[in-house]
């Protein structure tokens, strides 16, 4: 926007750019920006300073009906699903290119909405969003149907067809990335989508709707409905013309999605829910490497990451040394204002969530945990919602801080004395999203990583990922996978066409 390379901008540069942007708060339905039917709005508040960014359309059941009708009409007409695969690929690649071209605006919207560091928004969130759309675009003319083996006078074709109208319900912690994980494969397959962003972070989703239309995705194929869960998400999940809900968020709300499916049309449901991911640190681990992976794995994005490595399960003989190394590594992950280029940990999403996380820290202290690092609110004078990177030591497995998803920059430390105990502690959770094993013994690495019940287990690293690998969880972390070719499967179904020849 200003011709300056993002990495070279100062805080003042970013603030000047942000001042030029007027966020769009209207819903995006049938290719148009529209107010809610009721005319109601809600305040979108920035966690950076507690100030109102924009008035946003407060969509409700009437708006859901209009958006779903638009999506269904687009699907039934075939305007997108019957598009030549090569043309669909070109349009989706153009969509990806437009996202990249709008990187400054999208990064600023993501930063002021969520409190994440702006350079992370540039280098990770916007970039990965564009990458994801481009990744799925390439599948458009590379997916084949099947012919089943039959007798000589029969032809059995097995076709993979789009489901119809997809409700994509997205959380506030990685709005652009998780939105792309859903709309990329859903649009590739020929579905129509009604996107419901979290009420805390609606701005980038509305902008994506505009860019999709500009790229050539027909009106009605991608609609965006901002609003609250009870008022927008619930009627969307209950709607009888919605064929699938793809939900990322808490396990509590994920269970509601299952119930809404049963109460309506038995729509498909895919869930990526909570996590309480463990790091198992063996006595022979490289403690400096482990500490760096652990610190970045919990404090990146303020700990507001579903697969954040929030539990350290460490051999008792090296616990104190590991905590010292974690403190050193954390010094290289500075907490600060999101527009400061040096910041790596920003603001919590809102005031209520900040107090919830601080409440967990106090609960841990009452239960006997020791604060080894941080533990307090920071920068209160700014009006923003910041918490110090925190380590709680002497945590027992039955404490709330060890069992519940805190979703903040809080790391718990528990010890073990043998491998079997480490595995038992790691698996002693209702969740199963991710985990890690730190050891110099590859026999131990393979044995323990196979024993940990989680959708992703890293060995001697944390949070490495690729669009080529699936992401999702076991147990109450949900089911279905985002990313990779496997994600396409959940947005499609198989049809057999059997032809007999005389």
């Amino acid at each position: 926007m200003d011709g300056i390379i993002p990495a070279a901008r100062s805080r003042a540069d970013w603030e000047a750019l942000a001042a030029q942007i007027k966020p769009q708060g209207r819903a995006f339905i049938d290719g148009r920006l529209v107010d809610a039917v009721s005319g109601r709005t809600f305040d979108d508040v920035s966690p950076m300073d507690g100030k109102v960014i924009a008035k946003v359309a407060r969509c409700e059941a009437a708006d859901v009906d209009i958006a779903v009708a638009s999506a269904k009409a687009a699907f039934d007409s075939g305007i997108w699903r019957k598009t030549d695969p090569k043309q669909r690929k070109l349009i989706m690649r153009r969509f990806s290119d437009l996202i990249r071209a709008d990187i400054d605006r999208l990064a600023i919207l993501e930063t002021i909405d969520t409190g994440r560091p702006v350079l992370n928004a540039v280098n990770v969130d916007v970039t990965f969003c564009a990458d994801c759309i481009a990744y799925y675009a390439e599948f458009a003319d590379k997916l084949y149907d099947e012919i089943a083996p039959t007798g000589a006078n029969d032809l059995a074709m097995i076709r993979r067809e789009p489901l119809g109208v997809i409700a994509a319900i997205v959380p506030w912690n990685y709005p652009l990335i998780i939105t792309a994980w859903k709309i990329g494969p859903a649009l590739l397959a020929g579905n129509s989508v009604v996107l419901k962003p979290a009420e805390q972070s609606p701005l980038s989703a509305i902008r994506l709707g505009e860019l999709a239309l500009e790229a050539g995705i027909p009106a009605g194929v991608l609609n965006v409905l901002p609003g609250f869960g009870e008022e927008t998400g619930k009627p969307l999940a209950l709607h009888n013309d919605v064929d699938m809900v793809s939900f990322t968020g808490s396990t509590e709300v994920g269970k509601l999605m299952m119930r809404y499916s049963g109460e309506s049309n038995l729509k498909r449901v895919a869930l990526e829910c909570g996590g309480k991911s463990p790091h198992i640190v063996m006595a022979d681990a490289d403690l400096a490497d482990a500490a760096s992976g652990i610190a970045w794995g919990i404090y990146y994005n303020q700990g507001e990451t579903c697969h954040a490595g929030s539990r350290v399960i460490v051999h008792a003989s090296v616990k104190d040394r590991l905590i010292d190394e974690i403190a050193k590594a954390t010094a290289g992950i500075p907490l600060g204002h999101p527009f400061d280029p040096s910041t790596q940990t920003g603001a919590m999403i809102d005031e209520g969530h900040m107090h919830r996380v601080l409440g967990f820290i106090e609960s841990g202290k009452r239960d006997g945990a020791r604060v080894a690092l941080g533990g307090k609110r920071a920068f209160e004078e700014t009006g923003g919602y910041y918490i110090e990177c925190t380590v709680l030591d002497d945590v027992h497995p039955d404490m709330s801080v060890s069992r519940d998803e805190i979703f903040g920059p809080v790391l718990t430390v528990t010890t073990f004395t043998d491998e079997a105990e480490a595995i038992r502690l790691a698996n002693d959770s209702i969740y199963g999203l991710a985990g890690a094993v730190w050891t110099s013994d590859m026999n131990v690495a393979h044995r323990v990583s196979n024993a940990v019940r989680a959708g992703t287990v890293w060995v001697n690293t944390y949070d490495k990922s690729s669009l080529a690998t699936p992401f999702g969880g076991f147990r109450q972390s949900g089911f279905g996978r985002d990313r990779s070719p496997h994600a396409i499967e959940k947005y499609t179904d198989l049809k057999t066409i059997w032809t007999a020849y005389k």
Side-chain angles (χ1 to χ4, degrees):
M1 294 173 68
D2 57 4
I4 302 175
I5 297 171
R9 292 194 184 112
S10 66
R11 173 176 169 178
D13 292 331
W14 283 110
E15 289 175 334
L17 278 178
Q20 298 173 26
I21 293 175
K22 181 175 173 54
Q24 177 57 252
R26 288 179 289 175
F28 188 79
I29 301 175
D30 201 32
R32 296 182 299 117
L33 291 165
V34 295
D35 294 325
V37 170
S38 67
R40 299 173 73 196
T41 63
F42 64 92
D43 290 342
D44 185 17
V45 176
S46 176
M48 297 193 306
D49 53 18
K51 295 179 180 178
V52 175
I53 311 166
K55 299 283 187 181
V56 177
R58 187 168 177 169
C59 294
E60 298 172 287
D63 306 281
V64 170
D65 288 341
I66 295 169
V68 172
S70 171
K72 186 175 186 300
F75 183 80
D76 290 346
S77 74
I79 193 171
W80 178 247
R81 65 184 171 91
K82 293 181 180 179
T83 299
D84 181 277
K86 182 178 179 181
Q87 181 64 17
R88 194 185 308 158
K89 176 175 74 173
L90 292 175
I91 292 171
M92 289 186 67
R93 285 171 59 178
R94 192 179 306 134
F95 184 22
S96 173
D97 290 342
L98 289 173
I99 292 169
R100 293 187 203 281
D102 208 29
I103 192 167
D104 286 344
R105 179 187 300 273
L106 286 167
I108 288 168
L109 292 177
E110 204 80 331
T111 296
I112 61 177
D113 235 359
T114 67
R116 69 196 341 93
V118 70
L119 285 186
N120 289 347
V122 168
N123 297 322
V124 179
D125 298 85
V126 183
T127 300
F128 283 17
C129 175
D131 288 348
C132 184
I133 300 299
Y135 175 84
Y136 285 107
E138 292 302 323
F139 284 93
D141 56 1
K142 299 174 183 66
L143 297 176
Y144 291 81
D145 294 329
E146 303 171 27
I147 302 294
T150 61
N153 294 327
D154 293 292
L155 175 65
M157 296 185 294
I158 303 170
R159 301 198 60 198
R160 188 167 287 281
E161 298 198 346
L163 296 177
V165 177
I166 309 298
I169 301 179
V170 175
W172 44 257
N173 58 328
Y174 292 96
L176 281 169
I177 292 175
I178 296 176
T179 293
W181 285 1
K182 296 183 186 304
I183 69 173
L187 292 175
L188 154 77
N191 296 285
S192 296
V193 178
V194 180
L195 171 63
K196 194 276 178 193
E199 60 267 25
Q200 297 93 336
S201 56
L203 302 180
S204 61
I206 297 168
R207 182 60 181 156
L208 285 181
E210 294 180 292
L211 294 176
L213 185 70
E214 184 180 344
I217 294 175
V221 173
L222 178 59
N223 303 278
V224 183
L225 290 178
F228 293 88
E230 277 289 314
E231 297 174 353
T232 315
K234 180 177 179 180
L236 184 58
L238 283 166
H239 205 290
N240 283 318
D241 285 334
V242 169
D243 298 286
M244 177 193 178
V245 171
S246 181
F247 170 83
T248 298
S250 71
T251 296
E252 178 185 8
V253 178
K255 291 178 180 180
L256 291 177
M257 295 296 139
M258 297 286 287
R259 190 167 79 188
Y260 297 154
S261 171
E263 291 175 355
S264 55
N265 59 342
L266 210 61
K267 58 177 61 67
R268 308 288 178 87
V269 178
L271 303 175
E272 193 267 281
C273 299
K276 195 70 178 173
S277 301
H279 289 271
I280 297 175
V281 184
M282 309 303 287
D284 64 347
D286 183 317
L287 296 184
D289 280 355
S292 178
I294 290 166
W296 282 101
I298 182 63
Y299 302 133
Y300 182 81
N301 205 47
Q302 306 78 246
E304 295 170 330
T305 301
C306 46
H307 61 278
S310 56
R311 288 190 295 151
V312 167
I313 300 168
V314 57
H315 194 277
S317 65
V318 296
K319 182 198 76 168
D320 291 341
R321 287 164 52 205
L322 179 65
I323 291 176
D324 288 343
E325 292 290 344
I326 291 172
K328 294 177 188 175
T330 302
I333 311 174
L335 172 67
H337 193 282
F339 281 146
D340 187 329
S342 67
T343 294
Q344 289 293 341
T345 301
M348 309 305 293
I349 188 66
D350 60 28
E351 185 175 18
H353 185 60
M354 177 190 68
H355 288 301
R356 177 180 179 274
V357 173
L358 290 170
F360 269 111
I361 295 171
E362 292 304 310
S363 167
K365 290 160 62 176
R366 288 194 301 271
D367 289 343
R370 178 182 69 86
V371 177
L373 184 70
K376 298 177 182 177
R377 182 176 180 179
F379 310 136
E380 187 171 358
E381 70 282 358
T382 68
Y385 315 127
Y386 301 85
I387 296 177
E388 296 173 336
C389 296
T390 299
V391 175
L392 296 179
D393 189 15
D394 299 329
V395 171
H396 297 288
D398 57 350
M399 291 182 183
S400 175
V401 290
S402 181
R403 307 197 70 80
D404 297 331
E405 185 178 38
I406 298 174
F407 222 63
V410 181
L411 182 70
T412 66
V413 180
T414 303
T415 59
F416 68 89
T417 55
D418 61 50
E419 182 180 308
E421 183 185 15
I423 293 168
R424 180 182 61 78
L425 289 170
N427 288 332
D428 184 19
S429 172
I430 65 171
Y431 302 112
L433 193 52
V437 182
W438 299 87
T439 178
S440 60
D441 187 330
M442 286 298 102
N443 290 315
V444 172
H446 286 294
R447 190 166 59 240
V448 175
S449 61
N450 281 320
V452 173
R453 295 284 294 162
T456 300
V457 180
W458 288 280
V459 175
N460 293 333
T461 189
Y462 201 80
D463 203 21
K464 278 197 169 184
S465 66
S466 162
L467 285 165
T469 57
F471 179 77
F474 294 178
R475 300 173 173 169
Q476 292 189 45
S477 288
F479 50 84
R481 292 296 182 263
D482 291 317
R483 295 197 324 234
S484 84
H486 296 286
I488 301 168
E489 298 165 7
K490 69 186 181 186
Y491 296 105
T492 61
D493 210 347
L494 295 175
K495 174 191 281 186
T496 297
I497 301 175
W498 192 297
T499 303
Y501 296 91
K502 295 183 180 179

